[in-house]
Amino acid sequence: MNEDNRNLVLFAVLAAAIIIGWSYLAPTFFPTPKRAPAPITATQPGAAPSGTPASPVTGPVAGPAADAAAPVRDRAAVLAATPRLAINTPSLKGSINLRGARFDDLVLVRHRETVEKNSPPVRLLSPSGTDKAYFGSFGWQTTGVTAPDKSSVWTADAPTLTPDRPVTLSWTSPEGARFALKISVDADYMFSVQQSVANTGTAPISVRPYGLVSRTGLPKELDTWTNHVGPLGVFDGTANYDIGYPNLQGEAPGFFARIFGTSAKAGENYFDTKGGWLGFGDHYWLAALVPDQNAQVHSGFRGGAGGVYQADFASERTVVAPGKTAGQTSRFFAGAKEVGLIDGYQDQQGITNFDKAIDWGWFRIIEKPIFYYLAWLFRLVDNFGVAIILLTITIRLLLFPIAQRQFASMAKMKAIQPKMKAIQERYKDDKPRQQQEVMALYKAEGANPLAGCLPTFLQIPIMFGLYKVLLLAIDMRHQPFVLWIRDLSSPDPLTPINLFGLLPFHPPAVIAIGIIPILLGISMYFQFKLNPAPMDEAQKQVFAIMPWMLMFVMAPFAVGLQLYWITSNTLTILQQRMLYARHPDMKAATAK
């Protein structure tokens, strides 16, 4: 490999290390400064918040303004202070607040907060006035009749909502109009909400149904270029990952976002669309509104004082004649981003691009088959770490012909290194002649420096796809492997920096190098040793420290990712040794 190609490969490796590591290290060393939040002006039903442009299709922005941040109180006390409808399903436990008809108390019983046996289930929704308030609700903007609001107390026709027993909530306005919410839930995470209004008066009334999701505060996870965390949705069939929490608080898109193109803007971000969905996505969790897929809606996001964020939609206004009833059905997803379940909702319930709730990225066509094969292996062996190893072996076997071609080219380049060094020494003052002689040597020996690089570029989509699968799949969360590895989705907890926990301190993540990252560095060291050694002394030094630098870069990543990398490196080393065993002339030429 000549000097220019070596520099190209070196640049690619350094760029990958910087890009992957930056999103993890930047918040520690360069935290984003906090900006003053943009206030949300309280609105009456049917009125647009201050500064909100009217939509030519559906009029003012959806729903009421988000709740202002309330003083934080004990959750148990807040829950006990209001009448509630219990929720009991195989996947969810919690309740609906009958004051305001809010979905504001929900835990995911199939997922735990930590790996400890007594760990509580993951809490997704929490009522207003508690820490990290997070809730959804459905209502109406009205003209000619009083609409129910967050203080209205609804009546339920049953004490508990189950997959086998839908519940209808009802409320009657002072004018006599009857509002109803018929709520059903499946065995997983999808609620169906049928909103209806019966006009019992003598004059027509105008109603406009809406739905909203409100959350206070930011999630623990960071929004990175590999996985979007924050506001997301599908508008007119296109998934939007551009909008972040800082945008909703008045921060304009950054320099690189503007260069590469973005639909986000500072402040409110609203769209007139048909179908689709919207909500807030964390790394593994999602709360999303799903309007009627055939209805034209005005939907989007906004933020308010105290770190309050809201996603909402509103349908077109409907005039309800005296003695008539009007209604619509929407859905509300609140649960885990389980791939098979998300895909099932998209295919069986016709939710447009619902699978894009998981940020697969450009290589989704590769990543989805890899995920389903990994899930099959997991069911087969019942150990996610072993499944990762088997998946890596499978992919390496599929790429074996390409890898063999690459290794053969690299070995041949390594074998002619002495001759290339002699040419460079002989013509060190005559660069044009040096290049001519090197090209003649390539031709005589049948070597091609690009042949070793091209297979690498062909493998990039597959390897990156595997990386994304392990990054995104909730199936790896809290899965044990062996010995001290109790959670493959977390960094290795055992580090010699504090003598494996004997010293009473926890080192910072940037230096908390665990056993698995050390094994990763060792595997990369031996892999680099088998590659053609660069002739330039400076490059030799860079390649000598590269494995250990990448060890530090990869240390904060999930053990599952590191396990994949170690397995891949080990297979690469074995393939290289196999190549030399099959072609002893190359090894002899290298030794000579």
Side-chain angles (χ1 to χ4, degrees):
M1 189 179 294
N2 62 30
E3 186 174 351
D4 290 339
N5 291 324
R6 178 70 64 187
N7 290 336
L8 176 62
V9 175
L10 178 61
F11 170 77
V13 173
L14 287 173
I18 292 171
I19 290 174
I20 293 174
W22 178 253
S23 60
Y24 287 84
L25 301 179
T28 301
F29 295 100
F30 304 99
T32 303
K34 295 183 178 179
R35 300 194 175 197
I40 286 183
T41 304
T43 61
Q44 297 298 322
S50 176
T52 303
S55 161
V57 178
T58 58
V61 73
D67 283 358
V72 175
R73 296 188 293 153
D74 178 70
R75 181 181 294 110
V78 174
L79 293 175
T82 53
R84 295 196 161 264
L85 165 67
I87 299 173
N88 191 356
T89 82
S91 305
L92 301 171
K93 292 289 187 295
S95 59
I96 295 173
N97 189 351
L98 294 179
R99 179 172 291 141
R102 287 182 169 181
F103 298 77
D104 64 356
D105 172 33
L106 208 62
V107 296
L108 315 182
V109 298
R110 296 205 301 250
H111 299 278
R112 299 285 169 175
E113 292 284 356
T114 69
V115 295
E116 301 301 330
K117 291 183 178 180
N118 60 349
S119 173
V122 168
R123 173 166 290 278
L124 182 62
L125 303 183
S126 193
S128 179
T130 62
D131 185 40
K132 302 290 186 181
Y134 198 179
F135 59 86
S137 69
F138 295 83
W140 294 263
Q141 295 173 331
T142 60
T143 302
V145 68
T146 302
D149 58 22
K150 65 183 181 181
S151 300
S152 303
V153 178
W154 294 71
T155 300
D157 66 355
T160 304
L161 173 66
T162 69
D164 300 324
R165 178 61 169 91
V167 175
T168 299
L169 307 184
S170 57
W171 182 85
T172 303
S173 73
E175 298 84 2
R178 291 194 297 270
F179 293 82
L181 298 170
K182 184 178 181 181
I183 305 172
S184 58
V185 63
D186 63 15
D188 296 303
Y189 307 121
M190 188 69 78
F191 295 88
S192 178
V193 182
Q194 181 180 343
Q195 298 174 255
S196 63
V197 181
N199 185 1
T200 60
T202 59
I205 60 175
S206 173
V207 297
R208 186 185 186 195
Y210 69 78
L212 67 85
V213 175
S214 174
R215 76 179 303 170
T216 302
L218 299 175
K220 297 178 181 178
E221 301 94 350
L222 298 174
D223 183 17
T224 67
W225 70 279
T226 52
N227 183 32
H228 176 69
V229 171
L232 77 161
V234 169
F235 307 99
D236 283 330
T238 302
N240 189 312
Y241 302 114
D242 293 343
I243 304 167
Y245 290 113
N247 302 132
L248 303 186
Q249 292 290 5
E251 185 173 315
F255 172 77
F256 287 105
R258 295 195 300 271
I259 290 296
F260 291 105
T262 177
S263 64
K265 59 186 179 184
E268 297 174 350
N269 285 260
Y270 277 85
F271 309 87
D272 291 314
T273 180
K274 187 175 184 179
W277 54 272
L278 75 161
F280 297 109
D282 299 337
H283 191 155
Y284 294 124
W285 325 117
L286 174 70
L289 302 162
V290 185
D292 185 331
Q293 296 297 280
N294 296 315
Q296 192 75 25
V297 297
H298 185 60
S299 60
F301 310 94
R302 51 180 159 165
V308 178
Y309 304 92
Q310 183 170 299
D312 51 51
F313 78 89
S315 303
E316 294 179 299
R317 286 188 175 274
T318 300
V319 175
V320 185
K324 300 295 184 181
T325 300
Q328 72 165 31
T329 300
S330 304
R331 281 163 286 181
F332 176 48
F333 178 93
K337 294 195 288 189
E338 300 169 6
V339 179
L341 190 62
I342 295 288
D343 288 352
Y345 282 132
Q346 173 176 293
D347 298 337
Q348 298 165 18
Q349 300 191 16
I351 304 174
T352 304
N353 285 335
F354 198 53
D355 68 329
K356 292 187 177 178
I358 301 172
D359 186 7
W360 294 109
W362 294 341
F363 300 119
R364 180 174 59 161
I365 192 173
I366 297 173
E367 293 160 9
K368 295 287 282 291
I370 289 176
F371 167 79
Y372 280 110
Y373 178 60
L374 177 62
W376 178 78
L377 288 173
F378 179 40
R379 292 193 298 270
L380 187 67
V381 300
D382 198 31
N383 184 300
F384 207 87
V386 175
I388 291 173
I389 294 174
L390 294 177
L391 172 64
T392 309
I393 293 173
T394 302
I395 291 179
R396 298 300 300 190
L397 288 175
L398 292 175
L399 296 176
F400 185 78
I402 297 177
Q404 286 294 83
R405 187 183 182 95
Q406 177 187 18
F407 293 150
S409 175
M410 292 172 64
K412 189 168 291 187
M413 290 297 298
K414 188 174 183 178
I416 67 174
Q417 287 291 316
K419 295 181 181 181
M420 290 183 61
K421 189 173 182 65
I423 291 173
Q424 291 177 345
E425 289 292 333
R426 185 179 305 171
Y427 302 106
K428 60 182 177 182
D429 297 325
D430 187 354
K431 294 296 182 181
R433 179 66 183 277
Q434 182 185 114
Q435 290 295 326
Q436 291 176 2
E437 293 297 328
V438 168
M439 295 305 295
L441 176 64
Y442 288 159
K443 185 175 181 180
E445 298 288 344
N448 181 358
L450 294 180
C453 300
L454 184 59
T456 299
F457 289 110
L458 294 177
Q459 296 177 58
I460 285 176
I462 297 175
M463 294 306 177
F464 183 74
L466 178 55
Y467 159 75
K468 285 274 286 189
V469 166
L470 296 179
L471 177 71
L472 298 175
I474 193 174
D475 305 62
M476 190 170 75
R477 182 178 183 269
H478 291 177
Q479 287 296 332
F481 179 40
V482 293
L483 300 176
W484 72 95
I485 304 300
R486 302 174 61 194
D487 185 1
L488 284 166
S489 66
S490 299
D492 187 347
L494 201 62
T495 172
I497 301 297
N498 61 4
L499 296 183
F500 308 107
L502 293 177
L503 298 180
F505 79 96
H506 297 284
V510 70
I511 63 170
I513 308 300
I515 302 300
I516 301 299
I518 291 174
L519 294 177
L520 173 60
I522 293 172
S523 70
M524 286 190 289
Y525 169 78
F526 283 107
Q527 182 185 355
F528 275 47
K529 289 286 287 185
L530 291 175
N531 292 339
M535 290 172 290
D536 182 75
E537 288 300 322
Q539 291 185 10
K540 283 184 179 179
Q541 295 177 9
V542 171
F543 273 74
I545 66 172
M546 184 70 69
W548 316 115
M549 183 185 72
L550 290 177
M551 177 183 71
F552 277 88
V553 170
M554 289 297 297
F557 281 66
V559 172
L561 289 171
Q562 298 170 15
L563 180 62
Y564 144 68
W565 205 321
I566 291 171
T567 305
S568 181
N569 290 345
T570 303
L571 294 175
T572 300
I573 294 170
L574 293 175
Q575 285 179 333
Q576 185 81 331
R577 291 193 175 279
M578 184 187 301
L579 176 66
Y580 281 129
R582 293 176 58 186
H583 303 280
D585 54 322
M586 291 184 181
K587 189 173 184 179
T590 301
K592 181 178 178 181

